[in-house]
Amino acid sequence: MKRYIVGITGASGSIYAKRLLEVLEAKEAEVYVTVTEAGRQVWNDELEVNIRQQLGDNKDSNSIIYLDNQNLSAPIASGSFQTDGMIVIPCSMATLASITQGHSSNLLERAADVALKEKRQLIAVPRETPLNTIHLENMLKLSKLGADIIPPMPAFYNQPETIDDLVNFVVGRVLDRLGVEHDIYQRWKD
Ligand SMILES: Cc1cc2nc3c(=O)[nH]c(=O)nc-3n(C[C@H](O)[C@H](O)[C@H](O)COP(=O)(O)O)c2cc1C
């Protein structure tokens, strides 16, 4: 069974995280989820459903394990806890800056720091527009540290018709990078 960490922050685009979790759950992966305070607020606003109800109280799911972002003694805070990768989706510019600086002031940032120090896959899905020079420099720095930067930029060559199509394209590209098989978007010339 694959084991992933999903970190959700207060950038716009909670729907990307929701879709990613649905796919990983369907794949019966073990998924450790932690959400920043701003991430919780934006999720509740954008998806109009309480994130705790959707994730933490989902008794039917053996797959999603919800961790308090202030709990720095959670398993994912330690490098000895083996995982197959971490995805920060969506990734705010604030969390991007903290990860890039090795700040580790909450569980999400610490888990990302662990991924970098253990040379495990770290994928960031940074969302902001327009981007200032600090944002761009932080993305470059994170990329140089070995992380994958996958901005949520849907393509239009596959003729998307719905918001789901756009979301699936972005999440599909994250899954491609993780090496998880899926068919949630139509590939070029498929
Ligand atoms: C509705 C809403 C949308 C936001 N969208 C973004 C965004 O797209 N990108 C971003 O970097 N910050 C965005 N922010 C601001 C972040 O939530 C804010 O910087 C916060 O401190 C990030 O904290 P976190 O990184 O701990 O989640 C948004 C805030 C709100 C309320």
Side-chain angles (χ1 to χ4, degrees):
M1 186 192 270
K2 292 283 187 182
R3 181 188 275 168
Y4 301 105
I5 302 167
V6 174
I8 302 172
T9 77
S12 186
S14 315
I15 195 168
Y16 297 119
K18 182 171 181 284
R19 184 76 187 110
L20 178 66
L21 292 174
E22 286 165 358
V23 176
L24 293 178
E25 192 174 10
K27 295 278 175 191
E28 298 182 348
E30 190 175 294
V31 189
Y32 290 79
V33 183
T34 193
V35 188
T36 65
E37 185 51 40
R40 190 187 325 275
Q41 282 174 25
V42 173
W43 177 298
N44 295 347
D45 285 348
E46 292 190 343
L47 301 179
E48 295 180 336
V49 52
N50 185 286
I51 192 169
R52 195 75 177 85
Q53 277 171 350
Q54 189 141 30
L55 301 180
D57 300 338
N58 185 357
K59 300 279 190 295
D60 295 329
S61 169
N62 298 318
S63 182
I64 308 282
I65 300 118
Y66 183 92
L67 298 170
D68 185 335
N69 196 36
Q70 298 311 315
N71 180 7
L72 286 165
S73 56
I76 62 170
S78 170
S80 64
F81 187 75
Q82 301 280 317
T83 67
D84 295 292
M86 174 170 182
I87 312 99
V88 186
I89 179 171
C91 181
S92 71
M93 296 304 104
T95 291
L96 173 75
S98 294
I99 295 172
T100 306
Q101 297 304 316
H103 202 232
S104 298
S105 66
N106 60 40
L107 182 60
L108 191 159
E109 291 167 10
R110 169 63 186 164
D113 198 53
V114 167
L116 291 175
K117 85 182 175 77
E118 300 293 338
K119 310 284 184 211
R120 295 182 190 140
Q121 188 165 29
L122 175 64
I123 297 175
V125 181
R127 195 274 151 198
E128 187 50 278
T129 198
L131 295 162
N132 68 31
T133 306
I134 298 170
H135 304 150
L136 291 165
E137 284 179 352
N138 284 339
M139 283 185 224
L140 177 62
K141 189 167 179 190
L142 197 58
S143 173
K144 284 182 174 173
L145 287 166
D148 293 303
I149 310 292
I150 306 185
M153 294 176 179
F156 291 86
Y157 50 70
N158 55 349
Q159 313 291 326
E161 290 175 359
T162 64
I163 290 177
D164 271 356
D165 290 341
L166 299 173
V167 169
N168 283 336
F169 181 86
V170 170
V171 173
R173 300 299 283 151
V174 171
L175 293 164
D176 288 346
R177 203 69 186 164
L178 274 179
V180 174
E181 281 184 30
H182 70 87
D183 59 358
I184 65 171
Y185 76 87
Q186 191 168 353
R187 295 168 193 282
W188 175 239
K189 298 204 167 160
D190 233 8

